[in-house]
Amino acid sequence: MSEHRRKPPQPQEGGRAAARRGQSGSSSGRRAAPRGATGSPADSYGSGFYGPGGEEPSSGGRAGARRTAQRNVGGRRRAAEPAGRGPSGPPGRGRGRSGSARNRLIDYPRAGKYGWQRWVPSWKLVTGLFLGFMGSLVAVAGVGYAMVAVPKVDETATAQNNVYYWRDGSQMVATGGETNRQIIDLSQIPEAMRWAVISQENKTFYDDSGIDPKGIARAVFNMARGGQTQGGSTITQQYVKNAMLNDQSQTISRKFKEIFVSIKVGAEEDKDDIIEGYLNSAYYGRNAYGIQAAARAYFDKDAIDLNEGECAFLAATLKGATYYDPAGATSIDPAATPENNRKRALAQMQDTLDKMVEYKHLDASKRARYATLPKLENPRSNTQLSGQTGYLVDLANSYVITHSKETGITQQKLQQGGYSIYTTFDRNKVTELETAVTKVRKANIKPEQRPEDTHVQFGGASVNPATGAIEAIYGGEDATKHFTNNADQTGAQVGSTFKPFVLAAAMTWGVRDKDLGSSQAQDERTIVSPKSLFSGKNKLKIKNYDGTIWKNEKGEEWLQTNDGQKSYGTPPNFKIDLREAMRESVNSAFVQLGMDVGLDKVKGAAEGAGLKPSSLTGSTFPSFSIGISDPSAIRMAGSYATFAASGKQRDPYSVQKVTSQDGVIYTHKTETNEAFTSKVADNVTDILKTVVEKGTGTAAQLPGREVAGKTGTTDGNKSAWFVGYTPQLSTAITMFRYDDDETKKNRTFLEMFGTGGQKKIHGASFPAEIWHDYMAEAMKGLPKKGFPEPEPIGEVLNEDPLPSPSPSITESEEASPSPSPSPSESEPEPSPSPSDSCNSFFGCDDTSGGVNGGGNNGGTGETSPSPSPSDTGDDTRGNGNGGNFFGGSSG
């Protein structure tokens, strides 16, 4: 009989009885069969199901094994019974598998539940997970906040243009960088602008932490439905996005970075600094970044002058200028028509004004004034440098940089931008000068018809004698096509326009006494009167002050020619007084006068009048007195302005004031030097009046106004000038031809024979015509003033015997008053007969071995030995070797 039949299974009991049976079984020394030995599937539950040791509780021995086998027969159904129940007994105290489930960290799927209920988390689990998630977020946020730093304001947010203004304070152009922005201080931003933006964008700006959760959610919703997102962030967030974050992508990571940085900026930065930075970095449309650029782009005024309505309008453009600029933007979106944009802008502007009243930032009575859109400027390019604008900007920049000791602005700082540069340029005069040049060019210069009309260039400048301010320039046809500023640097020799400096030197220091030794002669001098006589003979043999023949380094004598190979005065001595010599532009008389005075004194007079030493070349050669130097048009106008101001010299300048966000950083202060006494300057002016009234400069006459001036034409007819002035304005006009291939190191000046259909170009032709047409317009509205009456000056030299007046011969006449025709300029003149000799003072006897001097106003003759290129105004050297307005090398 089996033991099974002998002893039937005992019912399971819970509680203490079961515990006692467990102890009894243990004490009997019997062990339950190992679970693996049964071959039961329950074996897979492991030791955890039955508790430590993997042993099944038993009453011991074979009876325990039978009970185990019986339970296994029940299958897995009983294993899934509710906790605390045995296979057939009453509820116990949590034994079995379901009891051990309570010890799991996360009871999921839920034990003790059936079907779908097993997969529904309990409230404890949900609450725990939520708290854990929020705790994790707080931890991550804390770590992120601790690790993030406030970034430096990005360079692109501070990149600015420099803004240039006309003399009257109106804006000329904003340029100098890729971004049209001018950063200004909060004190320069109207309070109404701040409140307009705050009222519309972020009314809690001064109270919030830098972010607005509701706003962020709204922005996400708007973005999801394709709407505008501008209002989704606080002002702090927008400032961070505009000024501190390079990455403008719409990604989750970038948005989180923006939030963290915004919180930190809001906590660490002053709110006024944030609103200032935001208004200076935001984009307002019309290529305008920042409130100052926007004020100029839309209203042509400074930001500080904006009224409440204009501020509300600009706040509207921050929503997206494509849809709020009344000018429209159909090229971007066909729906952005001017009509639609005006409606949107007006509605947004009115809404902003209403909110400003609601939040008590604007009085209702003031708000009522702005029921319509403000008057707007037409859209225009803010970086246009074509025409004359580019030359004006370059000139102003050069002035600022070369005066860096006073301005504090280096080239690098200027390139970084942010400066407002107030120039001396008169908008109307610049236009009038350009018009005068264009008129002459179109009427006469036809390169498609005449090869001689190719490469023709004009330049010009006007300077105010009372201040030295440069009021107008003409730099060329277009600054974006012709890059050299013809008003500032050309290398073109000035010719006979240099002669007034020789005259001024003779009236200031006088001529040296030829009967004394060189050391005594420097001290014993005689001041020259305009009535003093000098030889006007063509091919005059030039002498030193002591009467000896001047010779060059090769031992060759100098024979000075006149324009057209003409002699002036009555034979045999050809005496002519200095007034007449200036009127007729007689080279020989002024070359000898320069030698008698001393070329060092002539150079000193030119420098004293305002010419830069670096532009004065060939000062050891007789031809120095007739203009082989190459000062700029600006410097020539400035030096003649010294005569107009009765000897008071004031350096030409182009910048009146410079400001930045720090305020005014430079203001020009005019310095006055006495270059000449009023007696000297007024006498020079009186003689130059004669040139315009009845000499070579008659084309420059202005009816009802006194004009003084001088023509100039250079050797080889490679440049021509007219420089003249009234008491209120001095203007220089130059004309020349050169091969302006910018790839070449040196410019090659070309002859102007046949240019403009004329046999030869003189200062009396096109330059004087341009001067007249321009000055006639420039002087309109100014009072008609006369020059001071000159006091008598100096002694009359060489007055006995008094010569008969010579016939009046204009500079352009070809006929010579001499008894027989003279050789051409390029051919040596045959040696004269003894009867042609003059007295030793004038030295006009042409002995063999001499060489021809320069033609009218320039250098040496074609066959004469000229000074070396390093010492003279050679036609083929670079850009004038210092003819630049500021005195620097232009090459």
Side-chain angles (χ1 to χ4, degrees):
M1 180 182 292
S2 68
E3 188 175 345
H4 178 71
R5 289 197 298 269
R6 244 188 353 256
K7 192 175 183 178
Q10 296 297 316
Q12 287 281 56
E13 296 183 47
R16 295 178 180 177
R20 284 196 300 270
R21 281 195 300 272
Q23 292 172 357
S24 173
S26 176
S27 64
S28 66
R30 296 173 182 171
R31 294 177 177 272
R35 295 194 60 83
T38 66
S40 170
D43 184 51
S44 63
Y45 285 102
S47 61
F49 185 81
Y50 290 107
E55 292 184 348
E56 177 184 6
S58 172
S59 61
R62 294 178 180 178
R66 284 196 299 271
R67 285 194 296 271
T68 299
Q70 289 171 358
R71 281 196 299 271
N72 289 339
V73 172
R76 296 179 181 176
R77 181 186 62 80
R78 288 197 301 272
E81 287 183 0
R85 288 183 176 271
S88 59
R93 301 186 68 179
R95 296 189 183 207
R97 178 185 174 201
S98 57
S100 65
R102 293 185 177 183
N103 297 325
R104 289 193 293 171
L105 180 64
I106 299 177
D107 183 19
Y108 191 82
R110 295 176 65 187
K113 298 292 183 180
Y114 299 95
W116 62 269
Q117 292 180 335
R118 297 182 65 211
W119 305 100
V120 177
S122 67
W123 67 269
K124 292 181 179 180
L125 179 60
V126 171
T127 302
L129 290 175
F130 175 76
L131 292 176
F133 176 73
M134 293 304 296
S136 299
L137 284 183
V138 171
V140 170
V143 173
Y145 181 83
M147 293 182 64
V148 75
V150 176
K152 291 182 179 180
V153 175
D154 190 66
E155 290 182 0
T156 58
T158 57
Q160 307 172 67
N161 271 335
N162 296 313
V163 185
Y164 300 80
Y165 297 91
W166 295 102
R167 186 179 68 173
D168 62 4
S170 60
Q171 182 173 316
M172 179 198 308
V173 68
T175 186
E178 295 181 357
T179 304
N180 178 28
R181 177 190 286 116
Q182 301 83 49
I183 295 176
I184 56 178
D185 187 78
L186 187 64
S187 62
Q188 298 172 280
I189 299 175
E191 191 172 346
M193 186 66 209
R194 286 178 268 163
W195 290 123
V197 173
I198 291 171
S199 299
Q200 186 60 250
E201 300 288 345
N202 184 192
K203 66 179 181 179
T204 61
F205 168 71
Y206 279 103
D207 301 316
D208 63 37
S209 62
I211 63 169
D212 177 12
K214 291 182 180 179
I216 294 174
R218 184 171 60 250
V220 173
F221 176 73
N222 287 341
M223 187 165 52
R225 65 190 184 96
Q228 294 291 322
T229 62
Q230 180 72 31
S233 304
T234 65
I235 287 175
T236 303
Q237 284 179 266
Q238 294 179 51
Y239 171 55
V240 168
K241 179 177 64 176
N242 293 340
M244 295 182 176
L245 300 181
N246 286 319
D247 181 13
Q248 298 296 311
S249 61
Q250 297 295 324
T251 62
I252 297 296
S253 61
R254 197 213 66 82
K255 195 68 177 177
F256 270 110
K257 183 177 181 180
E258 175 189 312
I259 292 172
F260 284 135
V261 174
S262 299
I263 293 173
K264 200 143 195 175
V265 169
E268 297 182 3
E269 300 288 331
D270 186 83
K271 289 289 187 177
D272 283 346
D273 292 338
I274 294 173
I275 189 68
E276 175 189 314
Y278 172 62
L279 293 175
N280 275 316
S281 60
Y283 181 62
Y284 296 78
R286 297 195 179 185
N287 195 36
Y289 291 82
I291 182 62
Q292 174 65 14
R296 281 292 174 181
Y298 287 96
F299 305 112
D300 195 23
K301 63 170 63 174
D302 289 328
I304 192 63
D305 298 322
L306 295 172
N307 61 40
E308 288 83 354
E310 292 165 341
C311 291
F313 168 80
L314 290 179
T317 64
L318 294 174
K319 291 287 186 182
T322 298
Y323 303 98
Y324 290 91
D325 184 349
T330 53
S331 60
I332 301 176
D333 187 340
T337 64
E339 182 180 2
N340 291 341
N341 281 14
R342 289 184 69 87
K343 290 180 180 178
R344 277 189 287 262
L346 179 60
Q348 186 68 23
M349 171 186 163
Q350 297 302 310
D351 182 62
T352 299
L353 290 169
D354 289 341
K355 288 180 178 177
M356 291 173 69
V357 173
E358 179 184 351
Y359 304 142
K360 303 188 184 308
H361 301 315
L362 178 64
D363 186 77
S365 60
K366 282 188 178 181
R367 185 262 176 271
R369 303 174 189 171
Y370 308 112
T372 60
L373 284 175
K375 183 180 179 182
L376 301 169
E377 293 291 316
N378 290 327
R380 62 182 183 277
S381 172
N382 289 318
T383 57
Q384 181 58 261
L385 295 177
S386 62
Q388 299 305 301
T389 305
Y391 302 123
L392 298 172
V393 168
D394 288 346
L395 195 62
N397 288 345
S398 296
Y399 183 89
V400 168
I401 294 171
T402 56
H403 290 75
S404 60
K405 289 184 179 180
E406 294 85 8
T407 64
I409 303 172
T410 62
Q411 184 172 3
Q412 183 178 7
K413 288 183 178 180
L414 188 66
Q415 289 174 345
Q416 291 174 352
Y419 298 103
S420 294
I421 300 174
Y422 294 82
T423 73
T424 60
F425 307 130
D426 185 296
R427 186 206 302 259
N428 294 332
K429 287 186 175 68
V430 170
T431 301
E432 289 156 357
L433 181 53
E434 183 177 27
T435 300
V437 174
T438 302
K439 174 185 173 184
V440 168
R441 178 185 288 277
K442 287 185 175 181
N444 302 282
I445 308 302
K446 304 182 183 300
E448 67 281 358
Q449 299 178 12
R450 290 184 293 265
E452 298 85 357
D453 286 4
T454 58
H455 304 300
V456 174
Q457 296 289 332
F458 294 92
S462 281
V463 172
N464 188 321
T467 62
I470 304 171
E471 297 192 354
I473 64 166
Y474 179 85
E477 287 188 83
D478 191 328
T480 62
K481 299 176 182 178
H482 172 74
F483 305 112
T484 301
N485 187 346
N486 292 343
D488 191 21
Q489 53 188 31
T490 63
Q493 297 177 359
V494 296
S496 281
T497 57
F498 197 81
K499 290 173 181 173
F501 306 123
V502 182
L503 183 60
M507 291 180 176
T508 300
W509 289 286
V511 299
R512 294 171 289 189
D513 192 329
K514 68 179 185 298
D515 296 326
L516 299 175
S518 58
S519 59
Q520 290 180 289
Q522 294 294 340
D523 300 324
E524 298 297 328
R525 291 173 172 269
T526 303
I527 301 300
V528 175
S529 164
K531 296 180 180 179
S532 295
L533 303 172
F534 286 80
S535 176
K537 186 180 186 302
N538 183 52
K539 296 205 174 194
L540 177 67
K541 184 177 292 186
I542 299 302
K543 296 186 177 184
N544 294 310
Y545 77 93
D546 60 1
T548 60
I549 303 298
W550 187 92
K551 295 180 180 180
N552 63 16
E553 66 278 5
K554 295 181 181 180
E556 298 168 320
E557 299 175 351
W558 191 274
L559 304 179
Q560 182 59 53
T561 62
N562 293 325
D563 184 39
Q565 300 293 324
K566 305 184 197 83
S567 291
Y568 294 84
T570 303
N573 294 336
F574 296 97
K575 287 184 178 181
I576 185 172
D577 69 38
L578 292 177
R579 183 183 293 274
E580 287 297 298
M582 186 72 78
R583 183 175 73 86
E584 301 293 354
S585 198
V586 180
N587 289 342
S588 54
F590 280 95
V591 170
Q592 187 59 61
L593 177 61
M595 297 298 292
D596 292 348
V597 174
L599 297 181
D600 60 328
K601 299 299 184 185
V602 174
K603 184 178 180 181
E607 292 178 6
L611 300 186
K612 302 301 292 184
S614 55
S615 70
L616 302 176
T617 57
S619 59
T620 60
F621 288 82
S623 55
F624 177 72
S625 294
I626 52 175
I628 61 173
S629 297
D630 52 17
S632 67
I634 292 173
R635 284 291 171 178
M636 287 301 292
S639 63
Y640 272 49
T642 300
F643 297 125
S646 295
K648 302 296 189 295
Q649 188 273 331
R650 301 169 178 102
D651 264 357
Y653 69 100
S654 57
V655 175
Q656 182 65 48
K657 181 177 67 173
V658 180
T659 66
S660 70
Q661 64 177 7
D662 298 323
V664 178
I665 60 176
Y666 170 76
T667 301
H668 174 79
K669 296 180 181 178
T670 298
E671 294 184 3
T672 301
N673 303 307
E674 186 174 14
F676 312 109
T677 64
S678 58
K679 182 185 290 188
V680 170
D682 293 343
N683 271 277
V684 172
T685 293
D686 191 60
I687 292 174
L688 294 181
K689 282 174 57 181
T690 306
V691 175
V692 176
E693 291 170 355
K694 51 183 179 180
T696 59
T698 54
Q701 292 177 357
L702 298 175
R705 291 189 183 274
E706 290 191 356
V707 176
K710 184 69 187 75
T711 55
T713 307
T714 60
D715 185 37
N717 201 212
K718 294 176 180 177
S719 63
W721 290 73
F722 185 82
V723 186
Y725 54 94
T726 65
Q728 299 104 316
L729 195 62
S730 176
T731 299
I733 302 295
T734 181
M735 175 182 177
F736 49 90
R737 288 181 68 211
Y738 69 76
D739 183 355
D740 58 352
D741 185 349
E742 299 292 338
T743 63
K744 295 182 178 179
K745 181 178 181 180
N746 298 323
R747 294 193 181 111
T748 302
F749 283 81
L750 308 173
E751 295 178 342
M752 292 191 291
F753 298 108
T755 299
Q758 298 191 5
K759 186 175 182 180
K760 182 178 182 180
I761 298 297
H762 294 84
S765 57
F766 298 144
E769 182 181 346
I770 292 170
W771 191 97
H772 169 272
D773 292 349
Y774 160 65
M775 289 291 284
E777 294 298 320
M779 297 303 296
K780 283 184 177 179
L782 296 178
K784 295 180 178 180
K785 293 184 178 180
F787 292 112
E789 191 68 26
E791 300 178 24
I793 190 172
E795 298 181 21
V796 179
L797 303 180
N798 313 315
E799 62 177 336
D800 187 34
L802 188 66
S804 301
S806 60
S808 175
I809 304 171
T810 65
E811 193 177 17
S812 60
E813 288 181 275
E814 294 298 324
S816 172
S818 57
S820 59
S822 300
S824 68
E825 210 173 337
S826 60
E827 297 174 355
E829 185 181 33
S831 299
S833 61
S835 60
D836 290 333
S837 299
C838 304
N839 64 46
S840 60
F841 180 84
F842 292 107
C844 55
D845 55 320
D846 294 336
T847 60
S848 61
V851 294
N852 292 336
N856 188 41
N857 316 344
T860 59
E862 294 294 324
T863 61
S864 64
S866 60
S868 63
S870 63
D871 193 35
T872 71
D874 184 70
D875 290 329
T876 60
R877 68 185 185 284
N879 298 339
N881 190 28
N884 179 285
F885 162 49
F886 299 107
S889 174
S890 58

